[in-house]
Amino acid sequence: MKHSTGKVRRGVDPADSTRNSRGRLVAITMLAVGSLLLAGCTSTGAGGAGGAGDKTVLKVYGWKGGDAEPANVKEINAAFEKANPDITLEYSFIPSAAYPQRVQSELLAGNAADVIMTDSAKVQDWGSSGYLEDLSSQPWVTGVRKELKPFVENDGKTYSMPMEVIGISLFANNALLQKAGITQNPATWPEFEADLQKAKDAGITPLSLPNKGGWTGDAAINAIAASLVYKNQPSFDSDFVQGKASFSSWKSSLQQMMDLQSKGFIDFKSELGVDEWSTGISDFQAGKSAFYLQGAWNQSTFTKAGLDNSFIPWPATDKPDSNANLFVGTMLSVNAKSKVKTAAEKYVEFWSAGKNASLYLEAENAVSPFTNGENPSGAATKTFVAAVNDGRYRILPSNTWLSAAGEKTLQEQVQALWLGQQSIDQTVKNLDEKLKPTK
């Protein structure tokens, strides 16, 4: 602001001069206050970026929405801005590998985005640190599936809106299966064994479980246990945390996994040399194996590539009633230090609405985290989604014993088993000792 410095007039009463000076001071002060009030009409996000005109600027961070996993994020964001013309949305895609460190440092500095993508681990960490806004009073909270409450809450408060529950399970290459004389996907363990053998006899690699980083071995044993453990003991996770259960109940699951190698369907040592996030995915897409285990989020890529495949529950049981293996995926949280919390909460609520959420769920090939939500089902995922709709599913306990540290432990134990460094009994003993909760 520029200030005038005019000359003092001669022959003016000092008292009048003082009154005039005070009058000018009052006028200047009122002008300054008015300017501040006017500036207040333009809201800024937690990062302090200015608005455009009288619009509210809302900053959002996420690790979805990039070229590799667009997930219809751009389309949903465009719909939000159209429905809220008073808000300018600034969405920043941050690769998942760099996301935790960058957002953590910005939360600590107080300049992170207004809305940040989270997951169950981040909700527990950042929620307990006071970085996330309590969303317990938001209208969408009552519609969240009850079994998901522990994943979105911390100390009884809701800190995130779940965007999806997504499958980690078995992909089948239908074109290769047909070459081996197989006309339908396996629904039982005996059928699965028979199909693996037929594929092998036809000169087709029966199964690929690329496990260089340890993720696939962990995912495979969980997919098997989803049926062999949780059908008879659905409360295993809470029981184990309370010291009332043991991984001895996982022996049959570990044995089924090891039978894959003893029957010649896979060589675990070879699989340990294949990267699960690059080579493994591209190899299956290129038709190099009949069956493959990964996350349902890859289905969009396979469909786009023209692959004829199915995504099914791991057929672990003798009856066609295997459970789907689910993971609580991405979530949205509000930065506790956001200066535009009303707009931030409006954005989160927009994503909870059925028609908006469906766009994301369809792209991710995920199921709804809400009791009244629709579960998109395509030709490839219909069998998996049917299991979920029937109530046949288990959710990975990423909020308790299968946290980041627990998952690392499980990966190490499975790899040691694959390498022949320990027996199933020793693996069970190690899991009980290393994963038991510390008081």
Side-chain angles (χ1 to χ4, degrees), residues 313-327:
W314 182 285
T317 61
D318 290 338
K319 297 180 180 179
D321 62 352
S322 291
N323 282 349
N325 186 51
L326 294 173
F327 173 72

Side-chain angles (χ1 to χ4, degrees), residues 330-367:
T330 53
M331 308 177 186
L332 289 177
S333 299
V334 174
N335 183 353
K337 291 187 177 180
S338 170
K339 298 175 183 178
V340 290
K341 289 179 182 176
T342 298
E345 291 170 354
K346 183 179 291 187
Y347 180 78
V348 172
E349 183 179 357
F350 186 84
W351 272 81
S352 72
K355 63 179 181 179
N356 304 320
S358 291
L359 286 172
Y360 186 72
L361 296 176
E362 288 170 3
E364 288 282 274
N365 291 281
V367 296

Side-chain angles (χ1 to χ4, degrees), residues 230 233-245 397 400-401 437:
Y230 290 83
Q233 196 176 357
S235 61
F236 173 85
D237 297 326
S238 59
D239 289 346
F240 178 74
V241 170
Q242 296 173 31
K244 299 178 181 178
T400 57
W401 67 263

Side-chain angles (χ1 to χ4, degrees), residues 280-336:
I281 295 174
S282 60
D283 279 355
F284 182 73
Q285 184 174 315
K288 293 186 178 182
S289 67
F291 294 98
Y292 168 66
L293 188 137
Q294 247 290 345
W297 54 85
N298 292 288
Q299 182 58 55
S300 293
T301 300
F302 295 156
T303 299
K304 187 176 180 180
L307 189 66
D308 177 13
N309 76 276
S310 298
F311 183 72
I312 61 176
W314 182 285
T317 61
D318 290 338
K319 297 180 180 179
D321 62 352
S322 291
N323 282 349
N325 186 51
L326 294 173
F327 173 72
V328 181
T330 53
M331 308 177 186
L332 289 177
S333 299
V334 174
N335 183 353

